Amino acid sequence: MTVRVMLVSPATSEELREARFGGDGPLDEAGARRARAATGAVARVDRFLSGPSRRCRETAAELGAAPPAEVLGELGDWDMGRWRGRRLDEVGVSEPEAVSAWLSDPAAAPHGGESLLALCERVGGWLRSLPDDAGRVLAVVEPAVARAAVMHALSLPAEAFWRLDVAPLTLTELSGRAERWNLRCGRPLSAGSG
């Protein structure tokens, strides 16, 4: 049986606009309004999941899909350790060598959190754990988690992570099972799609 995994990136928040690492603030009003407008955009799902960040949980609630979203820790955002909550430009000024290592070495975690390889392995483990009869799975996840899922699904080299972009409130779809996935990415989430 084919599994359909629909990854929705959360709507906008102040932290996203400020390029903060792992900020966990609420959706901004424009983001909440866009998420409400997308209610019903995804048809029937067998399982509705959310990453644990406030932004993901609020987006899931605004989308209103049934059943209610189950929050899974393994769908959490990239653990940025001591950089969490800081802006990229701040860290770039105070720790330029660390940022350079983080951007160039997929095994590096100068911030004390997860390396890119660890993130991709965690998200890949979740994809591998889905049973063949999982049906239609919708998960509201941070952009880094969606990117890691694509990396795993397509067996891309780690360097490709930095070349993937996931815009707010877009749908990335994986269909298949086990280690054989197909990709449909970047579709805007709007009423009537799905």
Side-chain angles (χ1 to χ4, degrees), residues 25-65:
L27 296 180
D28 60 25
E29 185 50 43
R33 189 172 43 254
R34 283 191 62 217
R36 276 191 301 276
T39 299
V42 178
R44 177 195 61 81
V45 297
D46 299 305
R47 192 166 180 202
F48 186 28
L49 307 172
S50 173
S53 74
R54 183 173 179 183
R55 195 164 78 109
C56 286
R57 290 181 288 117
E58 288 182 3
T59 298
E62 294 291 356
L63 290 174

Side-chain angles (χ1 to χ4, degrees), residues 104-131:
S104 62
D105 179 0
H111 43 64
E114 278 179 305
S115 69
L116 174 57
L117 293 178
L119 168 69
C120 291
E121 180 54 36
R122 173 170 51 90
V123 175
W126 172 72
L127 279 173
R128 286 189 301 273
S129 77
L130 292 172

Side-chain angles (χ1 to χ4, degrees), residues 16-188:
L16 177 68
R17 291 186 199 290
E18 294 178 349
R20 290 190 182 272
F21 290 109
D24 197 20
L27 296 180
D28 60 25
E29 185 50 43
R33 189 172 43 254
R34 283 191 62 217
R36 276 191 301 276
T39 299
V42 178
R44 177 195 61 81
V45 297
D46 299 305
R47 192 166 180 202
F48 186 28
L49 307 172
S50 173
S53 74
R54 183 173 179 183
R55 195 164 78 109
C56 286
R57 290 181 288 117
E58 288 182 3
T59 298
E62 294 291 356
L63 290 174
E70 172 188 356
V71 176
L72 291 184
E74 58 260 47
L75 295 179
D77 199 5
W78 192 351
D79 178 1
M80 299 309 292
R82 63 186 167 74
W83 290 356
R84 181 180 169 87
R86 294 179 66 195
R87 288 191 331 262
L88 176 58
D89 62 344
E90 286 175 42
V91 177
V93 168
S94 64
E95 302 180 51
E97 296 84 16
V99 171
S100 179
W102 174 67
L103 290 171
S104 62
D105 179 0
H111 43 64
E114 278 179 305
S115 69
L116 174 57
L117 293 178
L119 168 69
C120 291
E121 180 54 36
R122 173 170 51 90
V123 175
W126 172 72
L127 279 173
R128 286 189 301 273
S129 77
L130 292 172
D132 287 347
D133 63 353
R136 294 169 53 101
V137 178
L138 172 65
V140 179
V141 297
E142 293 293 343
V145 174
R147 292 159 67 188
V150 169
M151 298 287 297
H152 173 79
L154 300 181
S155 300
L156 296 174
E159 297 76 23
F161 181 88
W162 301 110
R163 300 177 80 49
L164 301 174
D165 199 13
V166 177
L169 215 55
T170 56
L171 182 63
T172 300
E173 296 176 85
L174 300 171
S175 61
R177 60 188 170 286
E179 298 300 317
R180 173 99 165 74
W181 295 96
N182 295 315
L183 169 68
R184 183 176 182 192
C185 58
R187 188 160 52 104

